[in-house]
Amino acid sequence: MTDAARAYLLNNGWSDSTLDVWLRAKGRCEYCGKNLQAHSDDYFYGYNIDHVVSASLEGASEFNNCALACRSCNLIKRNVDFRSPGETPSRSELIKRASDYIHRKRKRNEERLLEHMPYLKALGLFGP
């Protein structure tokens, strides 16, 4: 990134740390790969800077413990601890574990929605 481009973004609301996380992630959710630059709602409102090891689990607010996450991945992941007691996995391993967890939760949610669909339709939701 050129110095002028970085200066422009910093002068228009970006912080150094947020910009660095976005650059590392190339503008994609680090858990599901969603392009957060494809739609203005995602670019401005649809992402979070997530703690890979949640702050509630004493995860540090430092670059290596931050990940660019779409809002839905961040909500699904919450503060689940992907470490085993006494283990110190790499950042990439923690991202992979979180990504796998999020994928499983999404699949289960899709199954549950299909189970609920006849009842939702009976109540007039999801079309005629």
Side-chain angles (χ1 to χ4, degrees):
M1 168 182 275
T2 68
D3 290 340
R6 186 176 186 92
Y8 174 85
L9 292 172
L10 293 174
N11 287 326
N12 281 278
W14 288 74
S15 69
D16 274 316
S17 58
T18 297
L19 184 54
D20 289 341
V21 171
W22 267 76
L23 288 169
R24 179 183 56 209
K26 297 181 172 72
R28 295 188 169 276
C29 174
E30 294 187 66
Y31 301 118
C32 74
K34 180 179 184 179
N35 183 354
L36 297 169
Q37 303 167 97
H39 191 275
S40 61
D41 282 349
D42 290 329
Y43 177 77
F44 287 104
Y45 309 112
Y47 75 92
N48 295 103
I49 303 299
D50 180 54
H51 287 86
V52 179
V53 175
S54 297
S56 65
L57 300 170
E58 301 180 8
S61 293
E62 59 187 30
F63 179 69
N64 206 37
N65 191 43
C66 290
L68 184 62
C70 68
R71 284 202 184 272
S72 59
C73 281
N74 194 4
L75 285 170
I76 293 168
K77 177 184 167 282
R78 298 191 179 259
N79 67 341
V80 175
D81 194 348
F82 299 100
R83 304 168 297 173
S84 297
E87 178 188 37
T88 310
S90 68
R91 177 183 188 281
S92 60
E93 180 59 27
L94 289 171
I95 295 280
K96 181 186 178 325
R97 290 177 188 179
S99 180
D100 291 346
Y101 171 83
I102 290 165
H103 176 76
R104 288 191 308 274
K105 289 286 269 189
R106 278 198 171 115
K107 184 170 176 48
R108 176 63 185 129
N109 288 344
E110 289 170 8
E111 292 166 356
R112 289 181 64 213
L113 178 59
L114 287 174
E115 292 170 12
H116 296 183
M117 191 68 67
Y119 306 99
L120 293 167
K121 285 182 178 180
L123 293 171
L125 300 173
F126 286 94

